[in-house]
């Protein structure tokens, strides 16, 4: 079973970021109790999921809420099957669930090798709709969900059949930014999908009205 590997970097956020969302008839408002710098909201089998990092938070948290999953295939310096997998983890109470979104093989899809990642990082993620990857060895997007964040609960992934109701849309991508030794972009979007228990695919969950704003870090450092 796969679990989040937490990549911790501490930053100080001084700019208050806001984003405008266009609501469709099928969406419902999810209003957080505080303003978040990064977040994931969704309706999971009728229960609202909410996880976020408050604007201006500077301690006791993973500032990006990111977990980077990396599956390299090396051919010289290449790593074309890199998976960027930012997610949000409930620090302080690991009995709570966690969720992430995946951008699989985006580097290789653009024709870049690992050594070319930094100079082309800002071109990897764009606005638009994307298909769900059928497994973790295919190009596309994915959604993952853990019922508890301490590794004792069930782990679900969108790898598997998706119907016409499944959607994944990136609505905003920030310009490339630099923090400490990494480049990163902030990606905002919406999604609907079905996720399957990694150990029993007959057990699945429908996720609706998903909304996310996450930071994706470069794998290579400056």
């Amino acid at each position: 079973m796969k679990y989040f590997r937490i990549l911790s970097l501490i930053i100080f956020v001084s700019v208050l970021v806001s984003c405008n969302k266009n609501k469709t008839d099928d969406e419902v408002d999810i209003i957080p109790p505080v303003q978040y710098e990064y977040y994931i909201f969704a309706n999971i089998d009728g229960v609202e999921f909410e996880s976020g990092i408050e604007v201006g938070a500077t301690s006791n948290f993973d500032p990006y809420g990111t977990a980077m999953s990396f599956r390299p295939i090396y051919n010289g310096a290449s790593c074309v099957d890199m998976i960027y997998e930012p997610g949000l983890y409930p620090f302080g109470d690991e009995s709570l669930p966690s969720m992430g979104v995946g951008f699989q093989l985006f580097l290789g899809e653009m024709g870049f090798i690992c050594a070319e990642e930094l100079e082309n990082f800002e071109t990897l993620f764009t606005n638009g709709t994307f298909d769900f990857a059928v497994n973790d060895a295919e190009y596309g997007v994915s959604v993952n969900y853990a019922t508890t964040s301490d590794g004792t609960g069930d782990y679900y992934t969108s790898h598997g059949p998706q119907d016409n109701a499944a959607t994944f849309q990136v609505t905003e991508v920030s310009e490339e930014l630099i923090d400490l030794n990494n480049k990163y972009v902030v990606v905002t979007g919406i999604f609907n999908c079905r996720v399957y228990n990694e150990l029993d695919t007959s057990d699945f969950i429908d996720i609706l009205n998903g909304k996310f704003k996450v930071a994706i870090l470069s794998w290579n450092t400056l």
Side-chain angles (χ1 to χ4, degrees):
M1 181 179 289
K2 297 178 294 185
Y3 297 103
F4 288 135
R5 298 204 308 263
I6 303 304
L7 171 66
S8 294
L9 298 168
I10 295 179
I11 60 172
F12 291 82
V13 180
S14 59
V15 180
L16 192 143
V17 179
S18 63
C19 60
N20 296 319
K21 305 182 184 68
N22 295 321
K23 184 176 65 175
T24 68
D25 293 338
D26 295 329
E27 290 181 312
V28 295
D29 289 325
I30 302 176
I31 303 174
V34 295
Q35 186 163 6
Y36 291 127
E37 182 73 14
Y38 305 108
Y39 57 78
I40 297 179
F41 306 138
N43 186 291
I44 301 176
D45 273 353
V47 178
E48 288 189 3
F49 171 91
E50 176 185 312
S51 188
I53 297 170
E54 296 180 24
V55 171
T58 58
S59 63
N60 193 32
F61 80 115
D62 175 349
Y64 299 106
T66 56
M68 303 292 285
S69 178
F70 185 57
R71 297 181 56 258
I73 292 178
Y74 287 106
N75 180 11
S78 68
C79 50
V80 296
D81 68 340
M82 184 185 297
I83 299 176
Y84 300 93
E85 195 170 62
L88 283 168
Y89 184 94
F91 283 84
D93 187 352
E94 292 190 346
S95 69
L96 296 175
S98 56
M99 185 180 292
V101 292
F103 298 84
Q104 302 185 183
L105 283 65
F106 273 47
L107 189 70
E109 180 70 13
M110 296 290 289
F112 300 129
I113 62 172
C114 193
E116 298 171 321
E117 182 206 27
L118 287 177
E119 62 184 296
N120 296 286
F121 191 68
E122 73 280 4
T123 70
L124 299 182
F125 311 98
T126 60
N127 291 356
T129 58
F130 296 89
D131 292 331
F132 284 89
V134 297
N135 56 52
D136 63 2
E138 298 290 335
Y139 165 73
V141 295
S142 61
V143 172
N144 56 68
Y145 171 69
T147 58
T148 64
S149 298
D150 59 5
T152 63
D154 293 321
Y155 184 86
Y156 294 79
T157 175
S158 60
H159 296 148
Q162 300 288 339
D163 60 23
N164 292 333
T167 58
F168 192 104
Q169 181 179 0
V170 173
T171 58
E172 183 178 351
V173 180
S174 76
E175 63 183 80
E176 180 184 273
L177 305 168
I178 296 176
D179 181 76
L180 300 181
N181 294 321
N182 292 86
K183 289 185 178 181
Y184 71 96
V185 294
V186 178
V187 178
T188 304
I190 56 177
F191 64 91
N192 298 279
C193 67
R194 174 167 288 183
V195 292
Y196 298 85
N197 190 313
E198 192 173 50
L199 298 180
D200 177 9
T201 57
S202 67
D203 174 21
F204 57 82
I205 296 173
D206 289 320
I207 299 180
L208 302 175
N209 299 321
K211 299 176 174 67
F212 65 87
K213 182 180 180 184
V214 293
I216 304 178
L217 275 68
S218 63
W219 179 259
N220 290 315
T221 57
L222 298 172

